[in-house]
């Protein structure tokens, strides 16, 4: 007998439910949520009841891991973007020393200058306005430029965080 994709998906869900607590499943769903979702949507994805999802979402909001927004009468939950950003900054600071951060910043600035020179624009947004729909390479470069710009901002923040940490320790 051949298993279907649905059979495999159901087995994965069953295993996930058996290997985790309801709180852990809600936590995982919130961790992946960029746009707000209702407690009912989170409950469905986390394989828990709506009251259980709401209770755990409120706990995650109280700890600062999640945040809320209102959509009419509905409370939407999503991960706290500031917390995610600070986590990325700390992680980079722990992985790279000051010299590596500076070298990475220098390389990313050079890469951004290459995009500016190649397309004779000063930002990915300006490039997006100039590109035609069929220019695959240009759209790929646009995505890479935006990613480089985001990574540069995180690296600069990690360097500033490292410098501030050293200053406070003195």
């Amino acid at each position: 007998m051949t298993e279907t994709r649905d059979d495999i998906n159901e087995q994965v869900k069953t295993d996930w439910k058996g290997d985790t607590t309801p709180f852990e499943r809600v936590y995982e769903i919130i961790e992946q949520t960029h746009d707000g979702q209702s407690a009912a949507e989170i409950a469905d994805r986390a394989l828990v009841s709506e009251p259980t999802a709401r209770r755990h979402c409120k706990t995650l909001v109280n700890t600062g891991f999640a945040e809320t927004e209102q959509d009419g009468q509905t409370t939407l939950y999503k991960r706290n973007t500031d917390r995610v950003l600070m986590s990325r900054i700390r992680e980079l600071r722990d992985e790279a020393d000051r010299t590596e951060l500076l070298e990475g910043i220098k390389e990313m600035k050079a890469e951004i200058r290459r995009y500016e020179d190649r397309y004779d624009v000063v930002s990915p947004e300006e490039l997006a306005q100039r590109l035609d729909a069929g220019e695959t390479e240009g759209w790929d470069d646009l995505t890479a430029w935006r990613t480089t710009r985001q990574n540069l901002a995180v690296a600069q923040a990690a360097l500033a965080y490292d410098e501030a940490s050293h200053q406070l320790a003195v």
Side-chain angles (χ1 to χ4, degrees):
M1 181 173 124
T2 305
E3 285 186 292
T4 67
R5 182 175 294 184
D6 289 340
D7 293 335
I8 294 168
N9 285 342
E10 285 306 312
Q11 186 59 49
V12 168
K13 286 180 182 180
T14 300
D15 290 349
W16 185 47
K17 191 171 180 178
D19 294 342
T20 58
T21 67
F23 179 81
E24 290 169 331
R25 292 193 303 277
V26 170
Y27 180 95
E28 284 184 39
I29 297 303
I30 290 288
E31 188 175 39
Q32 301 166 14
T33 304
H34 303 280
D35 299 321
Q37 293 191 353
S38 69
E41 292 168 314
I42 292 168
D44 186 52
R45 291 179 60 203
L47 309 175
V48 299
S49 69
E50 188 174 337
T52 297
R54 185 173 287 106
R55 184 177 75 242
H56 293 317
C57 285
K58 287 179 180 179
T59 298
L60 292 169
V61 168
N62 290 338
T63 63
F65 182 78
E67 57 190 17
T68 62
E69 58 187 42
Q70 288 300 125
D71 182 18
Q73 296 294 319
T74 305
T75 300
L76 303 178
Y77 300 90
K78 64 181 181 176
R79 68 184 190 181
N80 182 321
T81 52
D82 288 341
R83 189 169 180 144
V84 171
L85 178 59
M86 279 308 300
S87 177
R88 285 184 63 197
I89 290 167
R90 281 192 211 105
E91 189 177 290
L92 182 57
R93 183 181 143 241
D94 291 343
E95 291 173 359
D97 64 25
R98 181 177 173 73
T99 303
E100 292 168 325
L101 285 172
L102 288 168
E103 185 58 33
I105 289 169
K106 180 180 171 183
E107 289 173 15
M108 286 183 274
K109 284 183 173 183
E111 185 175 343
I112 288 170
R113 276 191 301 279
R114 286 191 295 274
Y115 289 124
E116 291 170 345
D117 292 344
R118 179 181 304 149
Y119 293 100
D120 194 28
V121 295
V122 296
S123 71
E125 294 76 20
E126 186 180 351
L127 175 58
Q129 292 175 351
R130 292 188 181 182
L131 289 174
D132 291 327
E135 294 183 54
T136 306
E137 183 180 346
W139 289 106
D140 290 345
D141 283 349
L142 174 87
T143 300
W145 188 352
R146 284 182 172 155
T147 300
T148 301
R149 192 169 63 174
Q150 291 170 349
N151 290 340
L152 174 60
V154 171
Q156 289 171 323
L159 182 63
Y161 185 86
D162 185 61
E163 290 174 5
S165 295
H166 289 333
Q167 292 297 322
L168 292 174
V170 176

